[in-house]
Amino acid sequence: MYVIGLDVGTTCTKALLADEQGHVITVGSSSYPLISSGSHIEQNAQDWIEASVQAIRQVIQGIDATQVMGLSLSTQGGSTVAVDEKGEFIGNSITWMDTRSEAEAAELEAQLGGEYVYHATGWKINPALDAAKICYMKKQPTYEKARMYLSTLEVLNCFLTGNIVLDPTNAAMRQLYNIEQNRWDEKLLEFAGLKEEELPCVRPTGKMVGRLLKEAAERTGLSEGTLVFNGAHDQYCAAIGSGAVNEGDMLLSAGTTWVLMGIGKKPMFTDSYIAPGRHPVAGLYGAMASLVCSGASLQWFKNEFLPEDFNIMNEEVVKRREKTEELFFYPYLSGANYPVWNLKVRGAFTGLALEHDRFDMARAIMEGVAFGVRRAVGDFESNGCEVQKITMMGGASKSSFWCQILASITHKPIYRLNQADICALGAAMIAACGLGIYKNYTEAAEAMVHTQQIYEADVEETAYYDWKFQKYNDMWDNIMKYYKNND
């Protein structure tokens, strides 16, 4: 017996095939482009379907497809496409990165207020999310024949089963859904000019959406009638796929942007706008915060100044502690989002001297990003989320040095997994639980999530970084005074 997890991301779809013992058999993928012009960042929604078909066909090569009993999805959130009364797409999907709706976001702030929107939906007002975005779309002649507004999960659920179904984690990303009342928010629908029938039905993650249609079966190579279970937003699937299914767990997705998700028993609303939402595990909530430009800072530096590969860099930065005691980096190359929320702030090296070379600077970047994680962990904990461990995934987790200093800087054990495709794995676990192979996500995690290495805080290194973190914060306070005085 097999299950498939399908991860429909921003530029690529991955499929993962796992057996009933939780072993990953194979992974397939298919990519697609973004269509960009200034603040307009779009995507052809049909590409999500075509890439899903290709990725599924890849993973079932050489197996008896009748043994695939179920599948579920992990999807990007906040990318929206309109459909007409026949279900045909109207134009491209407007993605979660598109900011053309800034005027509508300002209107939303003026009419309902940022605090209302945040406490209803869990998200700070954002022109890329649907409250502002659909308000914008409703004003355009292009969408006169629109009958429904769908995000990625509903598009795929509809293709696979004919049923237009969303889950609460993706609903929250649309900034139209009241996370505590578990329903579409009347005030936000009114602002966007929406009727509830223009939005999909919301069902819990893990509930059966339907059975695979004949056409979808023929195209994917799967059996007609294969069960499809409702999926989740990719960060929540990553939480499941990493085993972050208990209170006190934290997931760190360390890609271009570093995303933290803490797990607790109540929604976390904070002055720093951590984004709470319902976790697929009943009774638990996730809380998300994005450290924008964290991974991108090191990638930028390597592209511009470091011709050596990452392996050489990792070997060199380990040797540089004594030289970099007074060297700091603030990773705000695209402005400061969480927890500062001042886009005028810019990145900076401080303490740079003639003795320093590119490897010293690379180490300072890695430390600066880790200090940002420590500050975020402190914010989570001061708001009631007591972090017991951090599970790290993404490109940065391949660096043992980075994992180790994160453990020492945050005072938390860092768990590195042996599976890279965590979002697709989480979706496969949803399908496995839906089929009854595992009774819950905790049991599924015990079978399917495997830790490769645990990095514990080093006592001597922790003392050193406590001292350096204090200096980092003292200088940061002075930097922020400059920006406030020149705002």
Side-chain angles (χ1 to χ4, degrees):
M1 183 189 299
Y2 300 103
V3 292
I4 288 177
L6 199 61
D7 175 30
V8 187
T10 303
T11 58
C12 177
T13 289
K14 293 182 179 180
L16 179 147
L17 182 75
D19 65 19
E20 60 186 307
Q21 285 78 42
H23 302 126
V24 175
I25 307 303
T26 187
V27 176
S29 66
S30 181
S31 60
Y32 32 82
L34 292 168
I35 304 162
S36 303
S37 177
S39 64
H40 294 210
I41 305 176
E42 301 180 351
Q43 199 161 56
N44 184 345
Q46 188 64 36
D47 287 348
W48 302 335
I49 295 172
E50 301 302 328
S52 297
V53 167
Q54 293 305 314
I56 291 172
R57 295 193 76 89
Q58 289 174 35
V59 297
I60 63 172
Q61 286 182 3
I63 71 155
D64 180 359
T66 64
Q67 293 302 302
V68 177
M69 307 307 294
L71 65 91
S72 187
L73 292 113
S74 160
T75 58
Q76 59 172 304
S79 293
T80 306
V81 63
V83 297
D84 62 20
E85 61 183 8
K86 296 180 180 179
E88 300 290 333
F89 299 132
I90 300 174
N92 291 321
S93 160
I94 302 179
T95 74
W96 59 270
M97 297 171 285
D98 189 290
T99 57
R100 72 186 71 181
S101 307
E102 288 185 345
E104 287 72 23
E107 289 176 26
L108 179 58
E109 174 75 45
Q111 287 191 30
L112 294 183
E115 288 304 304
Y116 176 82
V117 175
Y118 173 56
H119 282 85
T121 69
W123 290 92
K124 195 173 188 289
I125 290 176
N126 187 328
L129 301 182
D130 276 358
K133 191 158 61 182
I134 293 179
C135 182
Y136 166 87
M137 294 168 78
K138 287 274 190 175
K139 297 175 183 177
Q140 312 307 313
T142 305
Y143 300 103
E144 285 179 354
K145 294 183 179 180
R147 293 296 177 266
M148 292 192 77
Y149 296 84
L150 309 181
S151 66
T152 312
L153 181 61
E154 305 96 282
V155 169
L156 268 298
N157 278 340
C158 183
F159 164 71
L160 295 169
T161 71
N163 297 321
I164 299 174
V165 177
L166 184 60
D167 87 295
T169 64
N170 275 293
M173 280 294 297
R174 303 190 69 170
Q175 203 160 63
L176 296 166
Y177 193 74
N178 192 302
I179 60 172
E180 294 198 76
Q181 296 177 6
N182 245 355
R183 60 178 178 81
W184 299 114
D185 187 273
E186 292 178 2
K187 290 184 179 180
L188 287 163
L189 294 191
E190 182 180 358
F191 169 80
L194 278 166
K195 297 177 181 178
E196 198 162 322
E197 54 264 32
E198 294 177 278
L199 295 170
C201 170
V202 181
R203 295 182 187 168
T205 295
K207 292 292 185 182
M208 192 176 81
V209 175
R211 293 179 178 271
L212 201 64
L213 296 173
K214 181 179 180 180
E215 180 187 352
E218 290 174 349
R219 294 192 60 191
T220 59
L222 296 172
S223 298
E224 184 179 355
T226 301
L227 298 180
V228 178
F229 298 93
N230 208 16
H233 179 249
D234 53 15
Q235 289 299 328
Y236 282 89
C237 277
I240 293 170
S242 67
V245 294
N246 298 294
E247 183 181 15
D249 290 342
M250 175 170 275
L251 172 67
L252 170 56
S253 299
T256 302
T257 288
W258 284 26
V259 181
L260 291 157
M261 178 182 284
I263 312 301
K265 289 188 175 180
K266 60 181 181 179
M268 182 187 298
F269 296 99
T270 70
D271 292 340
S272 57
Y273 295 103
I274 291 173
R278 289 180 180 270
H279 195 287
V281 174
L284 292 182
Y285 287 81
M288 290 171 56
S290 297
L291 303 177
V292 176
C293 221
S294 293
S297 293
L298 189 62
Q299 187 65 58
W300 158 78
F301 186 77
K302 184 189 182 305
N303 291 346
E304 298 294 335
F305 307 110
L306 205 91
E308 294 84 358
D309 66 27
F310 278 113
N311 290 329
I312 294 173
M313 182 198 72
N314 278 308
E315 291 172 4
E316 290 295 325
V317 294
V318 173
K319 309 171 186 176
R320 306 303 174 109
R321 191 175 110 170
E322 186 175 336
K323 282 182 66 183
T324 58
E325 284 187 357
E326 300 292 335
L327 182 59
F328 297 86
F329 177 75
Y330 296 87
Y332 301 111
L333 301 182
S334 61
N337 286 276
Y338 168 84
V340 178
W341 303 109
N342 186 336
L343 295 181
K344 293 183 179 180
V345 173
R346 289 294 177 262
F349 284 100
T350 65
L352 196 61
L354 289 172
E355 67 187 272
H356 292 128
D357 64 16
R358 59 190 184 278
F359 296 114
D360 299 322
M361 297 170 76
R363 177 169 178 140
I365 292 172
M366 297 169 88
E367 290 179 346
V369 171
F371 288 147
V373 173
R374 172 165 171 172
R375 184 167 55 187
V377 169
D379 188 27
F380 273 75
E381 293 195 322
S382 67
N383 283 285
C385 181
E386 292 297 327
V387 179
Q388 303 301 315
K389 68 175 184 178
I390 300 174
T391 300
M392 188 174 176
M393 58 173 277
S397 67
K398 298 175 183 177
S399 169
S400 293
F401 171 74
W402 222 343
C403 291
Q404 182 56 59
I405 65 168
L406 273 163
S408 296
I409 287 172
T410 63
H411 301 203
K412 307 294 180 185
I414 303 295
Y415 284 61
R416 182 169 69 183
L417 305 178
N418 70 347
Q419 171 64 43
D421 302 301
I422 303 299
C423 296
L425 179 63
M429 291 164 66
I430 291 170
C433 289
L435 288 165
I437 296 172
Y438 305 109
K439 64 182 180 182
N440 55 43
Y441 296 124
T442 300
E443 187 177 283
E446 290 173 357
M448 300 180 73
V449 180
H450 305 289
T451 301
Q452 184 178 61
Q453 191 166 352
I454 301 173
Y455 296 85
E456 299 282 358
D458 176 87
V459 175
E460 188 275 332
E461 193 174 59
T462 293
Y464 166 74
Y465 278 122
D466 283 350
W467 165 81
K468 191 165 185 179
F469 180 66
Q470 185 60 53
K471 294 195 70 172
Y472 178 91
N473 275 340
D474 290 345
M475 282 189 283
W476 172 248
D477 289 342
N478 288 328
I479 291 171
M480 287 309 298
K481 285 178 183 177
Y482 166 81
Y483 280 103
K484 287 177 181 178
N485 291 335
N486 291 273
D487 197 356

